[in-house]
Structure formats: structure tokens, C-alpha cells
Amino acid sequence: MTATQSLSAGHEALRRGAWDEARGHFEAAVEIAPSGGAWEGLGWAGWWLSDEQLTLGARERAYRAYRAEGDAAGAARVAAWLSSDHLEFRGDDAVARGWLERGHRLLEDVVPEGEDHGWLALFEASYAMNVAGDLDRAAALAVEAAALGRALASPDLEAVGLALEGITHVRRGRVELGMRLLDEASVMARGEELRLPISQGWALCYLISACEGVGDFPRATQWCEAVRAFSEHWGTRQMLGICRSAYGNVLATNGDWAAAELELTGAVGDLEDSRPAMAAGGLARLGELRARQGRLDEARALFTRAGAHPRAFVGLGVLALEAGDVAAAADAAERALRRVPAASLLDRLPAVELLVRAWAALGELDAATEAYAELEQTAAALGTPYLRGRARLAAGRLAAARGDHEEGRRAFEDAVDLLVESAAAYEAALARLELSDALAALGRGRPAAAERQAARAALAALGAREPARVSAAERRALGELTPREIEILRLAAQGLSDAEIAERLVLSHHTVHRHVANVRTKLRLPSRTAAVAYAARAGLL
């Protein structure tokens, strides 16, 4: 078989999704007559096979071959894909930026503009959104790529450009406009002949990510089936992994935790095997499910593995809040917010929610009110019942911290109604627990008991633990304990005597007894038994 025949057979195998066969044909082609086209084809086979070494090696050779052949557009195209590869496989943002700049330089004198200009614009838009946090630039580049796609009759460019523009609008709070664009892009991806299979998956994954964020769960469910069919047909684990992690979180929010477990564990496995640099979001979402299940050590480990992902910081902050370390929760929320651009309203929302809770628990009500103002504005801008329900839940918690239980009751009732409407089973149960406390504080014992019973039944049906919930005053008291006092209180709550604690920690019996006395004094508790009960309620177990 000649080099030309091998190239033709390789491209035909790519069109059928026969990745190993394509690899063999392209390897034969580069053996007979190395060229930019042969190396580029081999790079595509490696990409679909999730072979990092083959992908990067072949594409770098393709770049050099195109340069030697005087094909600036071909070299620029491969440079754009190399930028994406370094982000996906290794998380190397500086190297990715360098390849984008190189692509720009190569296309400066290429006229008229062709598809390669459009792909470079899309990769730059993706970099601007996901790495630089510049949503305005991302949107402008996406519009440019979509327009070029229409002018060149390239549905691939148009579909991905529309989807990318749509997700930037959703993140900035323009949900209606963004979802219209995403729906249009997804219809194109499913109904028109796109030249590259990746275009279809790229557009659909942006849509599902947007649906997850704003709580449009029915739309996410409909389109996720399309992504699953696409991924199973083409055997693309990395794309299915990204969408599965988002869809797994949709299932967890809706209360189908058995299905969420399968999706999230599968997503993390797919991503860690095929694109480890992209696994952080899936790890954080699985950590959130573990926290809801009461598997706190596993949740903490997953958040830690997710590294500097904002969801991981928020997850660790929620665990700290429920353990009584309110200052650590506030720090985690602020750390997450430092990593999210101010314009990205959707991505900031979970951290702002946590900040409202933490400041309220610390008794810093002015700071909590200021944080809540941002949360309320964000939920109003995004406009979905799910996000408005979460904002009303935060409003109720803030009212309770002020001692305004009547206002808290109204806010919690609104939260329950909106979250039930959204089919957000777990959050609705949490809102019922808070509503029960507000009703009890108002002396309305019978409805309070009914709400608590409904909440506990819902949590039991989910297989969820009841979160530790202590008052703001109790949290402030807990914050006065030293790390050693908290450690001793935890051991006491596990049933160890003072003597056993002393042996475990290599301390004297007198020292342990003194620490226990200090804990009782700080928490204003009458006995060791009361301190143990407090530890259980505060989540220290």
C-alpha cells in the first residue's frame, strides 16, 4: 500500500471511529513518506485512544512537517490542538498559551480567513473562559468563530461557536439568551452533518454543564442521553467523563443517589484514566455526594485530590462549618471566590452561599448581609426556581441568625416550595429542617414536628445523614476551643474515658481532666455527658 493509500485508509477509519485501525494506517504512512498530513492523522488516532504520548508526539511532528512544507495554516491548526492537548492531558496553561500565540503568528499572513482561523478562535475562547476567566473575550471570540462558520458553510465552527457563546452568557447571568444559543447549537450537533465528531460532543457538553449549574434538570436529562449515545458510538471516554460528572450531580440533586453513584464514579474513572488534568470537577462532585451520604473522610479525601478547584474549596468549607470550624469555612469560601472572576455569577454562587452561612455563624451579621446581597442579585439574575430556592434558604438562615424567626419562617417556606418545584430533593429536606426550627422558635410545635418528620423521612429515603446543625451561639463557643480540646472532645464522644484518652494522646490523666473541664466551661455545659451530646450534635463525630 502506498503512502497515499495509507492516508486515505486512515482517514476512512477515523470517519468510522475505528481508532486502532486508523493508527495502523497512519503509522504506515509516516513510515513510507512522513508528511504533515500523516503525522496529523496519527495525532488524531492517539487523541481518540487517549494516548498522551502518541498524541503530543505525533502532533508536534505534524507541526514541524507543515512548517517544513510551507503550510502555515496547517501548522497553525496543529498548534491550536496542541494548546488544547497540553491543558487536557497535563494542565499546562503556560505551554497552552504559547501554542496559541504561535498559531496566531503563523496565521497573520494567511488570507483569506479559513476554518483554521475559526478553530484558533474557539481554542482561544475556551482558554479565555476556563483559564484566564475572561468571559467577555471568550464570548467575542466565540461569536467570531460562529460567524466565520456561517460564512464558510462550516457547521462545526458554527455549532461550537454558538455553544461557547451560550455558556458564557449563562455564567454571566443571561440565562435565557444563553440557553437559546445552547439549544440551537445542540440541535445543529444532533441534526446536521458535522465533519469532526468532537464538534458534536463539545457543543452538547457545554449545554449539560449550563443546565447543571442553573438547575434546569429536565433539559439536562434529555440532552445527556444524546451525549451518552454519542460517546458510546465514538468511544470517547474523556468527553463522556466530563458530561457524566455534570449529569451525576444532576441525579444527586434530584435524589437518585444510586444512579448518581454510578455516573460520578464512572466519570472520575474515565477522566483519571484518559485526561487526568480534567478530573478535578468530577472528584469535587463525587466528594459532594459522599458528604451528603455522611462518608465525611472519603469526601474530604476527594476534595483534597481535586486540588485548587473552587468546588473543592467550597466542599471542604462546608465540612469545616458542620464540624464547628466556622473561621475555616469562611476562609475556604473566600479562597474559592478569589479563583472565580467577578463576572462569572454562576460559578461564584456556591462560595457566596457558604460565606453567608459562615459569617452568620460567626455573628458577623453585617458581613453576612453584604454577602447575601450578592447572592440574592445573582439568583435573581439567573432566575431559575432552583437558584432562587437556594437564595431563599440562605435568607432564612440569615434571618434566624438575627433572631427574626418570623422572617426566617417565610424565607424557609419559600425555599421549600421552590426546591420542591425544582425536584431538588436533598436541598428541600434541608430547608424543611430549617423551617422546623423557625416554627419551633415561634412556639408552633405541631407544624414544626410535621416539617421535621417530613425532612427526616426524605433524608432517610435518600440514604442521607442529617447534617450537623448548631446555633450561631454554639458555633461561636466551639470556635473558642483549642485544637487539643476539640481532639479530646472527639475522643470522649467516641466513648473513651479520661484515662483512655490520656493513654491515647500520651498525656497525664490530670491534663485530660483539666481539658475536659475547660471544654465544659467554654461551652457552658453542666457535665461530661452534655459535652459528648454537644459533640454529636455539632458533627464532631
Side-chain angles (χ1 to χ4, degrees):
M1 188 178 289
T2 66
T4 301
Q5 290 171 325
S6 294
L7 276 175
S8 178
H11 285 297
E12 175 58 28
L14 286 180
R15 280 190 288 273
R16 290 186 281 109
W19 314 127
D20 282 313
E21 181 185 335
R23 175 178 181 167
H25 287 306
F26 287 123
E27 285 176 338
V30 298
E31 183 70 24
I32 298 168
S35 66
W39 283 115
E40 186 177 8
L42 185 56
W44 271 115
W47 189 92
W48 286 105
L49 290 167
S50 296
D51 187 326
E52 174 185 348
Q53 185 174 354
L54 177 61
T55 304
L56 293 174
R59 282 180 168 165
E60 286 172 4
R61 287 176 174 84
Y63 170 79
R64 291 196 293 271
Y66 280 132
R67 293 282 287 147
E69 294 164 11
D71 186 348
R77 178 178 62 253
V78 174
W81 284 102
L82 277 166
S83 170
S84 176
D85 294 335
H86 277 277
L87 284 175
E88 288 188 7
F89 285 110
R90 299 177 178 177
D92 293 339
D93 56 334
V95 178
R97 179 71 257 175
W99 279 112
L100 288 175
E101 293 295 339
R102 193 67 193 129
H104 255 302
R105 184 81 64 186
L106 290 166
L107 288 178
E108 281 180 351
D109 298 325
V110 175
V111 291
E113 287 191 339
E115 286 192 46
D116 296 322
H117 292 81
W119 285 110
L120 182 62
L122 286 175
F123 283 117
E124 282 202 294
S126 180
Y127 186 96
M129 179 174 69
N130 296 316
V131 180
D134 189 343
L135 295 178
D136 289 335
R137 177 161 174 74
L141 288 164
V143 169
E144 177 184 321
L148 190 56
R150 283 188 290 274
L152 297 173
S154 171
D156 292 71
L157 283 180
E158 184 178 3
V160 179
L162 286 171
L164 214 160
E165 182 192 359
I167 191 70
T168 64
H169 284 304
V170 170
R171 288 186 174 185
R172 287 182 290 181
R174 304 165 188 168
V175 175
E176 184 179 354
L177 172 58
M179 297 308 293
R180 285 206 309 269
L181 291 169
L182 285 159
D183 278 337
E184 181 183 357
S186 299
V187 167
M188 288 184 67
R190 290 290 287 164
E192 299 189 22
E193 282 294 323
L194 303 188
R195 187 170 59 85
L196 297 176
I198 189 177
S199 306
Q200 183 182 25
W202 202 349
L204 291 171
C205 278
Y206 277 140
L207 173 64
I208 291 170
S209 176
C211 292
E212 176 208 16
V214 302
D216 192 341
F217 304 130
R219 187 188 254 118
T221 301
Q222 293 171 32
W223 283 111
C224 198
E225 292 307 313
V227 173
R228 185 185 300 282
F230 162 83
S231 297
E232 289 175 354
H233 175 76
W234 294 103
T236 168
R237 295 179 65 193
Q238 70 279 8
M239 197 160 292
L240 182 58
I242 295 168
C243 292
R244 286 182 82 180
S245 65
Y247 184 51
N249 190 53
V250 169
L251 292 169
T253 305
N254 286 169
D256 190 349
W257 287 9
E261 177 91 15
L262 292 174
E263 294 294 338
L264 287 169
T265 54
V268 168
D270 286 339
L271 289 170
E272 288 193 315
D273 288 344
S274 64
R275 298 294 193 279
M278 302 171 70
L283 288 166
R285 289 173 175 88
L286 183 57
E288 292 164 0
L289 178 61
R290 291 287 178 262
R292 293 175 176 186
Q293 293 169 328
R295 298 158 65 174
L296 303 186
D297 288 340
E298 293 178 54
R300 191 171 289 105
L302 286 162
F303 291 139
T304 301
R305 283 169 59 193
H309 196 285
R311 288 185 86 116
F313 291 143
V314 172
L316 288 169
V318 171
L319 293 180
L321 183 66
E322 294 187 356
D325 192 349
V326 186
D331 290 344
E334 291 175 337
R335 187 177 184 184
L337 288 170
R338 288 196 297 272
R339 295 191 61 82
V340 181
S344 188
L345 303 183
L346 184 59
D347 298 317
R348 288 176 62 85
L349 190 139
V352 176
E353 280 180 300
L354 176 59
L355 197 59
V356 173
R357 294 180 66 188
W359 282 125
L362 286 166
E364 299 289 346
L365 299 183
D366 289 342
T369 301
E370 182 179 346
Y372 174 71
E374 178 181 345
L375 176 61
E376 184 179 36
Q377 290 171 2
T378 297
L382 294 166
T384 60
Y386 176 61
L387 298 183
R388 288 190 288 117
R390 284 166 56 176
R392 290 301 284 161
L393 179 56
R397 286 167 167 160
L398 182 54
R402 291 197 193 98
D404 188 347
H405 299 296
E406 181 59 33
E407 174 57 31
R409 176 191 66 79
R410 290 192 292 269
F412 291 135
E413 286 176 346
D414 291 345
V416 169
D417 293 342
L418 288 163
L419 293 168
V420 167
E421 177 187 344
S422 306
Y426 181 74
E427 283 91 343
L430 297 187
R432 288 190 186 279
L433 288 174
E434 300 283 6
L435 176 57
S436 174
D437 287 348
L439 290 166
L442 293 168
R444 299 167 62 177
R446 184 171 296 178
E451 291 293 345
R452 182 167 296 279
Q453 182 178 0
R456 287 177 170 168
L459 291 171
L462 290 168
R465 70 184 181 98
E466 183 174 342
R469 294 160 57 253
V470 296
S471 70
E474 288 174 321
R475 289 193 186 280
R476 287 194 294 274
L478 188 62
E480 296 175 7
L481 300 184
T482 66
R484 175 65 83 183
E485 288 166 349
I486 290 175
E487 184 178 27
I488 288 172
L489 183 55
R490 283 199 177 104
L491 294 174
Q494 294 171 21
L496 276 66
S497 66
D498 286 1
E500 289 169 329
I501 294 172
E503 182 178 357
R504 173 79 64 88
L505 299 180
V506 195
L507 298 172
S508 70
H509 183 277
H510 173 75
T511 299
V512 172
H513 184 75
R514 177 169 51 80
H515 279 307
V516 172
N518 287 342
V519 168
R520 287 172 48 202
T521 299
K522 290 180 179 180
L523 299 181
R524 299 171 180 83
L525 297 172
S527 65
R528 191 179 193 276
T529 302
V532 169
Y534 176 93
R537 189 170 73 257
L540 293 182
L541 295 181

